[in-house]
């Protein structure tokens, strides 16, 4: 399997066992490339345009010129992140993206937000197998500082995740969630009256 085939394999959310030497070797190569690119991002000053170029290299896709990130930024894979238009990442975000992270237009990701897309098997026999589940963040979502988004979660359009929340379940549109685990605390009205 070549690297392009492996990245496509990962984008289909296939599990990977630590005992599969070929897949684990390709995964390690992707991780080292993500480390190299994020190290470049995080250890020197870059213009907005340079940051967009670095994210385009990291993700393997052209990132829209409206994207903005305040480094540092961390990821363990990089090739399974999709970023919409007018998206902002504040400093210290950490993405585990092998399972896929999609971020819709106009979304704001606060400081030190963690987004995870992998889980391990619970029984000892499967604990070395990682099971990916995508995270989908809709349009105009605001995720507050130090929030954690767990594998398989969908946060629908116009919703807000409060600072420090741990999101374990889908968030309906126009909803504020808070707490550990996060629960709905308010509906958002777009009525300007």
């Amino acid at each position: 399997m070549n690297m392009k085939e492996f990245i496509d394999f990962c984008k289909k959310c296939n599990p990977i066992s630590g005992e599969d030497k070929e897949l684990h070797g390709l995964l390690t190569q992707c991780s080292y490339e993500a480390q190299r690119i994020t190290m470049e991002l995080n250890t020197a000053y870059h213009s907005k345009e340079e940051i967009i170029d670095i994210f385009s290299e990291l993700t393997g896709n052209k990132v829209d010129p409206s994207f903005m990130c305040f480094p540092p930024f961390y990821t363990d894979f990089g090739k399974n992140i999709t970023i919409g238009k007018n998206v902002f990442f504040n400093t210290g975000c950490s993405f585990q993206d092998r399972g896929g992270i999609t971020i819709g237009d106009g979304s704001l990701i606060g400081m030190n937000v963690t987004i995870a897309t992998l889980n391990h098997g619970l029984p000892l026999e499967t604990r070395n197998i990682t099971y990916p589940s995508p995270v989908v963040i809709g349009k105009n979502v605001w995720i507050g500082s130090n929030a954690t988004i767990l594998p398989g979660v969908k946060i629908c359009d116009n919703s807000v995740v409060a600072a420090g929340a741990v999101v374990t379940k889908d968030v309906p549109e126009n909803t504020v969630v808070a707490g550990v685990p996060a629960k709905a605390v308010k509906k958002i009205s777009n009525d300007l009256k």
Side-chain angles (χ1 to χ4, degrees), residues 22-50:
E22 178 188 12
L23 293 180
H24 198 265
L26 291 164
L27 179 58
T28 301
Q29 282 182 312
C30 279
S31 293
Y32 285 156
E33 180 177 342
Q35 287 176 40
R36 177 188 60 76
I37 295 168
T38 55
M39 182 66 77
E40 176 187 338
L41 173 70
N42 296 335
T43 59
Y45 170 79
H46 298 284
S47 68
K48 183 179 186 296
E49 295 77 21
E50 290 169 331

Side-chain angles (χ1 to χ4, degrees), residues 40-99:
E40 176 187 338
L41 173 70
N42 296 335
T43 59
Y45 170 79
H46 298 284
S47 68
K48 183 179 186 296
E49 295 77 21
E50 290 169 331
I51 289 172
I52 290 165
D53 289 342
I54 291 169
F55 265 87
S56 295
E57 179 186 5
L58 178 66
T59 63
N61 295 305
K62 182 69 180 140
V63 174
D64 192 81
S66 62
F67 172 68
M68 183 177 273
C69 174
F70 292 164
F73 173 84
Y74 306 96
T75 187
D76 68 338
F77 190 70
K79 300 299 184 211
N80 210 356
I81 302 170
T82 303
I83 302 168
K85 296 178 182 176
N86 297 306
V87 169
F88 172 69
F89 296 173
N90 211 330
T91 187
C93 290
S94 184
F95 290 7
Q96 181 193 54
D97 68 285
R98 198 180 91 220

